[in-house]
Amino acid sequence: MDSQTPVFGHIPSTGILYQQPPSSEQIAKANKVAKVKAVLKEFAAISLIGITVVSTLFTVRSCSDDADRQTVQVVKFQMEVGK
């Protein structure tokens, strides 16, 4: 029976594979990509915090306006019933 494992002729007899180190251009490109990703992550985090704060403020203001409107309606109703 033959083994089902493929035989690769380009693997040296030592079994150690060698890969050329990246060039300075490849390293520079990888660094730029990493910096862009970091900036985008920071922007997303800051945006998320900002949206949370703004939406909370709008919600509180809306509830406050609604409470004020209801108070005015109650006072008007009490004035009409009291007549």
Side-chain angles (χ1 to χ4, degrees):
M1 259 177 23
D2 290 325
S3 172
Q4 298 258 340
T5 306
V7 177
F8 299 101
H10 63 279
I11 297 178
S13 60
T14 60
I16 299 173
L17 298 178
Y18 178 76
Q19 181 179 1
Q20 290 286 339
S23 69
S24 60
E25 291 175 359
Q26 289 172 327
I27 293 172
K29 184 178 179 181
N31 286 340
K32 285 182 183 178
V33 170
K35 286 180 184 178
V36 168
K37 284 183 180 180
V39 168
L40 289 176
K41 284 181 182 180
E42 289 180 23
F43 177 76
I46 291 170
S47 297
L48 183 62
I49 292 170
I51 289 169
T52 303
V53 169
V54 170
S55 66
T56 302
L57 292 175
F58 279 124
T59 301
V60 169
R61 182 174 177 170
S62 174
C63 291
S64 175
D65 290 345
D66 193 38
D68 291 343
R69 182 182 52 78
Q70 289 178 4
T71 303
V72 169
Q73 287 178 343
V74 167
V75 170
K76 283 183 180 178
F77 178 76
Q78 289 175 349
M79 289 174 59
E80 289 175 8
V81 172
K83 287 185 178 180

